[in-house]
Amino acid sequence: LARKLQNDFKGQLLLSFSAGVDAFNVSKVMGCGFRTVTVSSDLLKPGGYGRLKQYIDNLKIDFNGKTGWPAADVALKNLNSYAKEVVEDERYCNTHFREPSIKTKRKLDYFDCIAAPCVNTCATNQEIPTYLHFAATGNYPKALEVILRTNPFPNTTGMVCDHLCQNKCTRINYDNPLQIRDVKRYVAENADIKLSPAQPNGKRVAIIGAGPSGLSCAFYLAINGFKVDVFESKTKAGGMVRYAIPGFRLTDQAIDRDIERITQLGVNIHYSHPVTRSEFSDLKNKYDYVYISAGAQKSAILDIEGIDADGVIDPLTFLMGVKSGNIKQIGKRIVIIGGGNTAMDAARTAHRLVGDNGKVTIVYRRTVNEMPADEGEIKAVIAEGVELVELAAPEKIITQNGKVKALKCRLMKLDGYDSKGRPKPVKVEGSEFEVECDVVIPAIGQALDIDFVPNELLKADTRNYKTLMGNVYIGGDALRGASTAINAIGDGRKAAQEIISQCGFTGISTSVPEKKHNYRDLMLLRSTRKYGYVHKELTAEKSKTFELVTETPDETTIKEESARCLHCDEVCSICTTVCPNLANFAYTIEPVRYQLDKVLVGSDGTQEVQPDHFFEVKQTVQILNIANFCNECGNCSTFCPTEGAPYQDKPKFHLTTKSFKESEDGYMLSVLKDRNVLIFKQKGGIKTLSENRDEYIYETDHVYARFSKNGFKLVEAKALTPCVRQIQFQHAVEMSVILQGAKRLMGV
């Protein structure tokens, strides 16, 4: 690169790029006599070294339609102009309440670490990169097919999902996250496919509650041949999503379209049909399975003085009343208590009712950083002009003639953590203050309203959604308490799968349509920043109406946005791009699946070979950590989408004997004339795997074994010490994979 730059610049101007560790200073390589400018770039972020070309291109200018290097003084002016532009660009300002991170709770193992964090984070585990791929190519019916595999509410969630997937999008560390929810919304509104359920299988399921969870369960059961009856206490389906989410965020038409798709499969919804205790007992006997999905339709009670005053309004009653048209006016000074999504919806709805002279205030006992509401909703509340009072806890509702006059609060401070690990608010003595108001809406949470079965019987194994009542399953708010629509939808699908499995059925195939990109193309895509669109700011005038606050983007925007997907389900290698020392090495293998054997050794030395378990490596790209280059800075851990750290969790490989001897553990490859020997050292001793033309030989202090290279079949095994009673070969087969990476790294 230094020589190329020397030829390109021809002695005019020199750029030096600093990578932070062992800074690459071109001027030192090229010698003296050049005018130098050092560009401090974020090469330690994903795509770092590969992004050099993009930085260089940003500093070029056009000469008669051609791009080339300018004279030194012009280039410096261009560089300074670019620097000023970056400083003033809002895209480089941190406006987040919570620091964004793509790290998830997924474990990092030796092998097969490629997985899209958006998919891992989504409650329905949607195959997001796949439907983005089809959306990018304009194949919207296929994109909808992929979405419906795990989510039967694309129209609804395309408008109001809290999109945790976007919060984990890998592009967070490059430019800005993909607008995944908007793509789903466009696909749902512009595509339709005909669904054909399987033949009836003779099984019947009763579902209590026609909200997102119940109808999600009904959808996947019906499409797999079950006869499904849904019992709903209200006159319409949709649950809290229909009745409580404001119309400026979600339309009835969107909900209706999703529900129509479900009922077309033969799902029968019995409206105005609350279930009693006696009927619940009958349902258990009449149906093969019952799924309880009643929502959290009762507001949690705030236990403070004055809570019964005239002017205190239940948040769900308020939201439902406004949406139904029964509540058209409210006071002029409204206080919302709470920091969840219901509080945000109540505040934005109240803002639309109070008029230009009114005021809406949110009181929350922690800071905005700890609010459980979706960050986008919090920002929308603030943008619309709602005042947010942080670190304030309500203590008393002050009344006059039985009506609300003010809310007495006390300042709080965060000190330590509570039992859930959240910052703990503690009262500040002598800090009382009052917020004048005529209406108080305490939105501090929601509670279940299930009276047809004792609460102690509703407990369930969260791994399979099965209650203590045998054939009765539970999910959604009924299981979790008040939660999000996407969590409820995910529970419904997973509970349906448990019922299908319980019946011994495999269900309709859930295989993902073929989507395969070139590894090199995807790595090049990861070396370039490409910002996507952002939502338009809501005008002050529109924030006072009940019109939809967001519009569906046009087709061109959707295609361009979908094409920004990095396809993290196919390739990751982030750890290789963020390491300034290039200490993480990606290598390719042929995926393997071996039936391993184990050897049982009798006290008399006799041996019995038995099948053990299957060993499988599914992915073609794997990672080694090169110990000689790694200074354990932890940068790979920062950007790895798992909970692990590649420099600690990946196989650590040593290039030299000296490094290997000085380390407590790791691998080293010895290349001999007739064989390759992979050596592993740890505190417990030395293990080796030798590879010759036809077989592997595995040796430890206690075991000698030979395996055929074809299928890793056990040929011979010996216990070298009398204490060995069982021999297993998990690490031996792992070493056979690591050996492939070591050979590629060493050029063998």
Side-chain angles (χ1 to χ4, degrees):
L1 177 62
R3 290 194 181 96
K4 185 178 187 306
L5 290 177
Q6 187 174 28
N7 291 330
D8 288 347
F9 280 104
K10 301 188 187 302
Q12 297 178 30
L13 176 68
L14 179 64
L15 298 180
S16 170
F17 294 89
S18 172
V21 180
D22 291 332
F24 171 47
N25 193 318
V26 186
S27 60
K28 290 182 180 179
V29 178
M30 295 175 62
C32 303
F34 292 92
R35 180 178 179 187
T36 64
V37 178
T38 299
V39 180
S40 178
S41 63
D42 55 348
L43 297 179
L44 301 187
K45 295 185 72 174
Y49 284 106
R51 204 180 292 159
L52 272 172
K53 181 180 182 300
Q54 190 176 17
Y55 280 108
I56 293 172
D57 288 344
N58 285 333
L59 302 177
K60 291 181 180 180
I61 62 174
D62 290 334
F63 293 103
N64 300 319
K66 295 183 179 180
T67 301
W69 291 107
D73 56 341
V74 178
L76 181 58
K77 181 179 179 181
N78 191 31
L79 177 61
N80 288 329
S81 175
Y82 176 60
K84 183 175 184 295
E85 181 184 317
V86 169
V87 170
E88 296 175 351
D89 195 326
E90 291 184 0
R91 294 178 301 183
Y92 298 100
C93 298
N94 187 356
T95 60
H96 298 282
F97 299 133
R98 296 176 281 270
E99 190 65 27
S101 169
I102 70 168
K103 290 193 76 67
T104 65
K105 295 181 180 180
R106 182 166 60 91
K107 185 180 178 182
L108 182 63
D109 293 318
Y110 252 23
F111 310 114
D112 288 354
C113 57
I114 299 172
C118 59
V119 177
N120 291 137
T121 309
C122 174
T124 66
N125 302 119
Q126 293 217 255
E127 299 121 341
I128 294 166
T130 303
Y131 78 70
L132 290 177
H133 164 73
F134 289 116
T137 58
N139 192 344
Y140 305 118
K142 184 61 71 173
L144 180 60
E145 178 188 337
V146 175
I147 293 170
L148 291 176
R149 291 178 190 277
T150 55
N151 178 6
F153 283 89
N155 294 83
T156 302
T157 54
M159 287 187 172
V160 298
C161 181
D162 59 343
H163 57 67
L164 295 181
C165 55
Q166 289 180 201
N167 297 344
K168 294 296 180 182
C169 176
T170 302
R171 275 208 175 269
I172 286 172
N173 294 325
Y174 290 81
D175 27 60
N176 63 333
L178 272 80
Q179 299 294 335
I180 299 170
R181 184 174 68 185
D182 285 357
V183 176
K184 183 188 301 172
R185 176 172 171 174
Y186 182 91
V187 169
E189 292 176 358
N190 291 277
D192 202 3
I193 58 175
K194 183 174 179 56
L195 300 173
S196 299
Q199 290 296 316
N201 59 31
K203 298 293 183 179
R204 304 180 67 200
V205 179
I207 295 177
I208 303 174
S213 187
L215 292 182
S216 174
C217 186
F219 176 86
Y220 293 106
L221 290 173
I223 208 167
N224 281 281
F226 287 76
K227 175 69 175 69
V228 182
D229 287 300
V230 182
F231 299 91
E232 170 57 46
S233 62
K234 292 185 169 56
T235 58
K236 290 185 178 181
M240 301 306 293
V241 166
R242 178 184 293 277
Y243 288 101
I245 295 181
F248 55 82
R249 291 184 58 211
L250 175 66
T251 65
D252 283 344
Q253 291 80 4
I255 305 172
D256 290 339
R257 191 172 180 186
D258 287 334
I259 293 174
E260 182 181 3
R261 186 184 296 111
I262 296 169
T263 55
Q264 284 177 348
L265 293 173
V267 173
N268 186 22
I269 304 177
H270 304 268
Y271 293 106
S272 302
H273 194 127
V275 174
T276 63
R277 286 203 174 199
S278 60
E279 185 177 17
F280 176 71
S281 179
D282 291 340
L283 292 177
K284 286 196 300 177
N285 296 325
K286 185 178 179 181
Y287 290 83
D288 296 289
Y289 299 94
V290 177
Y291 179 60
I292 300 173
S293 61
Q297 303 183 30
K298 197 163 63 172
S299 296
I301 298 175
L302 179 63
D303 187 16
I304 61 173
E305 183 180 344
I307 196 67
D308 297 325
D310 183 8
V312 177
I313 304 178
D314 175 272
L316 298 181
T317 301
F318 171 65
L319 291 170
M320 293 179 185
V322 173
K323 193 164 187 179
S324 66
N326 294 328
I327 297 178
K328 297 181 179 180
Q329 293 184 8
I330 199 170
K332 287 293 185 181
R333 296 169 300 172
I334 318 299
V335 170
I336 313 292
I337 302 172
N341 285 326
T342 299
M344 301 303 113
D345 282 340
R348 297 180 74 183
T349 301
H351 172 72
R352 285 156 171 76
L353 295 181
V354 297
D356 293 335
N357 297 323
K359 182 180 180 181
V360 179
T361 304
I362 295 176
V363 172
Y364 183 59
R365 61 180 183 157
R366 293 183 175 91
T367 74
V368 67
N369 297 329
E370 289 79 44
M371 276 188 166
D374 172 42
E375 184 171 326
E377 293 305 306
I378 300 172
K379 289 182 176 179
V381 162
I382 296 173
E384 290 184 2
V386 174
E387 182 182 357
L388 176 60
V389 180
E390 304 173 80
L391 292 171
E395 295 208 329
K396 176 183 178 181
I397 296 175
I398 300 172
T399 61
Q400 186 175 35
N401 299 325
K403 296 184 178 181
V404 171
K405 180 184 178 184
L407 178 68
K408 181 180 179 181
C409 301
R410 185 191 296 269
L411 290 178
M412 310 292 283
K413 64 179 180 179
L414 299 181
D415 185 11
Y417 296 90
D418 62 17
S419 58
K420 295 182 179 180
R422 300 178 66 191
K424 184 178 180 180
V426 178
K427 293 181 179 180
V428 177
E429 295 301 325
S431 62
E432 296 87 351
F433 65 98
E434 296 179 6
V435 180
E436 292 187 357
C437 55
D438 42 35
V439 172
V440 173
I441 302 177
I444 60 169
Q446 291 154 239
L448 295 182
D449 190 18
I450 297 178
D451 58 4
F452 52 82
V453 62
N455 287 338
E456 60 269 18
L457 296 181
L458 293 176
K459 294 180 180 179
D461 187 333
T462 54
R463 294 171 297 179
N464 59 20
Y465 301 93
K466 194 171 185 179
T467 69
L468 302 174
M469 295 177 281
N471 65 340
V472 178
Y473 291 75
I474 189 171
D477 289 355
L479 175 66
R480 299 171 177 267
S483 188
T484 62
I486 196 68
N487 278 333
I489 292 166
D491 285 347
R493 178 182 67 82
K494 294 168 186 175
Q497 186 58 55
E498 290 295 332
I499 292 173
I500 293 169
S501 299
Q502 187 71 26
C503 292
F505 305 144
T506 57
I508 289 180
S509 172
T510 57
S511 60
V512 181
E514 183 64 26
K515 172 186 76 77
K516 189 68 177 176
H517 295 84
N518 180 275
Y519 176 82
R520 182 176 183 275
D521 290 342
L522 289 182
M523 290 305 294
L524 287 175
L525 184 64
R526 287 166 173 260
S527 68
T528 306
R529 274 182 170 167
K530 187 177 181 181
Y531 283 91
Y533 80 99
V534 293
H535 288 284
K536 296 178 181 178
E537 293 286 341
L538 188 66
T539 63
E541 294 76 17
K542 194 170 183 179
S543 74
K544 288 289 188 178
T545 74
F546 282 87
E547 297 177 26
L548 274 177
V549 294
T550 58
E551 299 176 354
T552 306
D554 59 54
E555 183 175 13
T556 300
T557 301
I558 288 299
K559 283 185 175 180
E560 291 177 350
E561 187 68 4
S562 300
R564 294 176 62 234
C565 179
L566 298 174
H567 298 284
C568 303
D569 59 330
E570 296 184 49
V571 64
C572 182
S573 298
I574 289 176
C575 60
T576 69
T577 68
V578 300
C579 179
N581 298 338
L582 303 180
N584 295 310
F585 173 72
Y587 64 97
T588 58
I589 64 165
E590 287 295 325
V592 296
R593 189 172 192 267
Y594 300 137
Q595 167 67 67
L596 299 183
D597 291 322
K598 62 182 177 181
V599 178
L600 303 181
V601 183
S603 57
D604 58 354
T606 57
Q607 295 186 354
E608 179 184 354
V609 178
Q610 294 183 354
D612 196 355
H613 61 275
F614 280 97
F615 171 82
E616 186 172 20
V617 177
K618 300 178 181 179
Q619 298 172 0
T620 59
V621 179
Q622 306 296 334
I623 300 294
L624 285 179
N625 176 259
I626 306 173
N628 304 71
F629 296 168
C630 182
N631 60 6
E632 301 188 351
C633 68
N635 204 50
C636 58
S637 173
T638 299
F639 295 105
C640 178
T642 73
E643 68 174 3
Y647 77 94
Q648 292 178 328
D649 301 324
K650 288 298 180 181
K652 189 171 289 293
F653 186 80
H654 296 267
L655 298 174
T656 63
T657 303
K658 180 177 183 295
S659 169
F660 186 65
K661 287 182 176 180
E662 292 174 351
S663 175
E664 291 186 354
D665 56 48
Y667 297 86
M668 187 183 76
L669 180 63
S670 176
V671 180
L672 305 177
K673 184 177 181 180
D674 60 339
R675 64 191 185 280
N676 299 311
V677 182
L678 183 67
I679 309 168
F680 174 70
K681 180 176 73 169
Q682 63 179 179
K683 293 180 180 179
I686 296 288
K687 300 178 182 179
T688 64
L689 185 74
S690 301
E691 176 195 41
N692 56 37
R693 181 177 177 179
D694 300 316
E695 64 183 6
Y696 293 113
I697 299 175
Y698 178 64
E699 297 178 88
T700 75
D701 293 339
H702 307 286
V703 172
Y704 172 90
R706 294 166 46 228
F707 303 88
S708 65
K709 293 184 72 172
N710 182 19
F712 208 78
K713 295 291 186 181
L714 180 64
V715 177
E716 177 188 8
K718 296 179 182 178
L720 302 181
T721 56
C723 60
V724 175
R725 289 291 174 264
Q726 180 172 281
I727 309 173
Q728 292 178 289
F729 302 106
Q730 173 71 24
H731 191 229
V733 73
E734 289 176 352
M735 290 180 71
S736 73
V737 177
I738 297 169
L739 176 61
Q740 296 183 54
K743 288 163 61 179
R744 282 177 170 79
L745 176 61
M746 302 298 290
V748 177

